[in-house]
């Protein structure tokens, strides 16, 4: 007689405390004895309180080396607490992967993840990789949390099987593995000439995007850029490339 499959036990993530106050440009992490995290940017650890042997630096695997352009990651075990410095204008958000195992992440945004998670590489289609210069995305399996570093805040949108969502290619942080995704532009001819390449995505489930503005012209406008230059950039095809 076949035995009933035992349900997976969920990790109690209530004990781990990760707080990232937006204006302060740092992350405070506190872990209990049974908890552990990989930190993919070890130099971001600016203060640590705990037993010295609870930090073990390791060589990254090939996926980590490709995505992070770094060779070392740190494994930290509780009980301990630490402060991580993050760049100005960035924020760190934690995602509980208990129900989000199908998401494919841009590894550049992954700051940390639970030791209980397994990270696997997913190769992009060659056409997509050629245009975006992004060959590999990663998928996490298991129960735990992933800490995502983004420009601005992290926002969630929910996909529709028919109605596509268009996302600036530099803003997409994660999307479901079974989603239909392709590079595109939208709007009329003038709109398509002046926008960045977009991801056109349909399917089911959530997508995660970073909300920090990529509109350099907006900042120039706030800094009183020349009105004549702004008009030429908007009216001429590819004016934002020709006119600086």
């Amino acid at each position: 007689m076949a035995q009933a499959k035992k349900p997976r036990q969920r990790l109690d993530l209530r004990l781990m405390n990760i707080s990232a106050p937006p204006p302060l440009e740092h992350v405070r992490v506190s872990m209990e004895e049974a908890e552990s995290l990989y930190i993919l940017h070890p130099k971001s650890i600016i203060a640590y309180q705990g037993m010295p042997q609870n930090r073990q630096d390791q060589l990254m695997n090939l996926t980590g080396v490709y995505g992070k352009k770094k060779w070392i990651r740190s494994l930290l075990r509780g009980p301990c607490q630490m402060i991580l410095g993050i760049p100005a204008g960035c924020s760190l958000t934690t995602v509980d992967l208990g129900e989000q195992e199908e998401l494919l992440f841009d590894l550049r945004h992954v700051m940390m993840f639970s030791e209980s998670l397994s990270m696997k590489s997913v190769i992009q289609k060659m056409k997509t990789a050629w245009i975006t210069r992004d060959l590999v995305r990663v998928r996490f399996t298991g129960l735990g949390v992933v800490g995502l570093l983004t420009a601005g805040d992290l926002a969630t949108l929910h996909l529709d099987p028919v109605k596509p969502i268009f996302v600036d290619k530099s803003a997409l942080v994660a999307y479901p593995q079974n989603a239909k995704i392709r590079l595109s532009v939208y709007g009329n001819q003038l709109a398509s000439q002046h926008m960045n390449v977009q991801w056109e995505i349909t399917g089911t489930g959530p997508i995660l995007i970073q909300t920090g503005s990529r509109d350099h012209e907006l900042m120039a406008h706030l800094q009183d850029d020349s009105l004549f230059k702004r008009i030429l950039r908007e009216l001429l095809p590819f004016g934002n490339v020709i006119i600086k």
Side-chain angles (χ1 to χ4, degrees), residues 189-196 214-244:
Q189 184 176 6
L190 185 61
S192 62
Q193 286 177 345
H194 290 271
M195 70 173 60
N196 294 329
R214 292 293 185 273
D215 188 352
H216 301 294
E217 294 180 9
L218 175 60
M219 183 58 67
H221 175 74
L222 295 175
Q223 294 174 350
D224 196 26
D225 192 11
S226 164
L227 175 62
F228 180 67
K229 284 185 177 181
R230 293 202 305 270
I231 293 174
L232 288 179
R233 287 194 194 104
E234 294 195 10
L235 293 181
L236 294 177
F238 309 106
N240 58 335
V241 176
I242 299 171
I243 301 174
K244 300 299 181 182

Side-chain angles (χ1 to χ4, degrees), residues 101-213:
E101 285 191 355
E102 296 300 320
L103 289 178
L104 298 181
F105 290 87
D106 185 338
L107 186 59
R108 289 171 293 192
H109 292 283
V110 179
M111 181 82 169
M112 62 181 72
F113 63 92
S114 300
E115 186 186 11
S116 56
L117 295 174
S118 297
M119 183 174 68
K120 299 180 180 178
S121 304
V122 178
I123 305 298
Q124 299 278 67
K125 294 180 180 179
M126 290 308 300
K127 180 181 178 181
T128 301
W130 175 261
I131 297 174
T132 63
R133 311 297 172 90
D134 184 12
L135 180 61
V136 177
R137 291 226 167 205
V138 296
R139 178 187 172 200
F140 293 95
T141 56
L143 298 174
V145 295
V146 174
L148 299 173
L149 185 67
T150 56
D153 292 328
L154 186 71
T156 301
L157 296 173
H158 291 276
L159 294 174
D160 185 276
V162 177
K163 187 190 304 181
I165 294 178
F166 293 89
V167 180
D168 189 296
K169 72 178 183 64
S170 64
L172 185 61
V173 175
Y175 61 90
Q177 186 172 13
N178 60 359
K180 294 182 180 179
I181 180 169
R182 70 186 186 94
L183 292 164
S184 180
V185 290
Y186 63 95
N188 62 8
Q189 184 176 6
L190 185 61
S192 62
Q193 286 177 345
H194 290 271
M195 70 173 60
N196 294 329
V197 175
Q198 307 282 307
W199 289 111
E200 180 182 340
I201 315 172
T202 55
T204 58
I207 63 171
L208 307 179
I209 61 173
Q210 61 178 358
T211 60
S213 175

Side-chain angles (χ1 to χ4, degrees), residues 2-7:
Q3 295 183 346
K5 185 178 180 181
K6 294 182 179 179

Side-chain angles (χ1 to χ4, degrees), residues 19-28 46 83-92:
S19 70
L24 301 183
E25 298 172 4
H26 73 266
V27 180
R28 185 183 297 270
I46 57 177
I83 293 178
L84 311 179
I86 60 176
C90 292
S91 62
L92 186 133

Side-chain angles (χ1 to χ4, degrees), residues 64-100:
V65 172
Y66 173 81
K68 289 294 188 182
K69 308 297 188 292
K70 295 179 181 294
W71 291 94
I72 303 295
R73 66 183 181 182
S74 294
L75 174 61
L76 291 111
R77 295 190 170 95
C80 70
Q81 56 182 329
M82 71 194 92
I83 293 178
L84 311 179
I86 60 176
C90 292
S91 62
L92 186 133
T93 307
T94 56
V95 178
D96 182 354
L97 284 204
E99 306 298 332
Q100 306 286 355

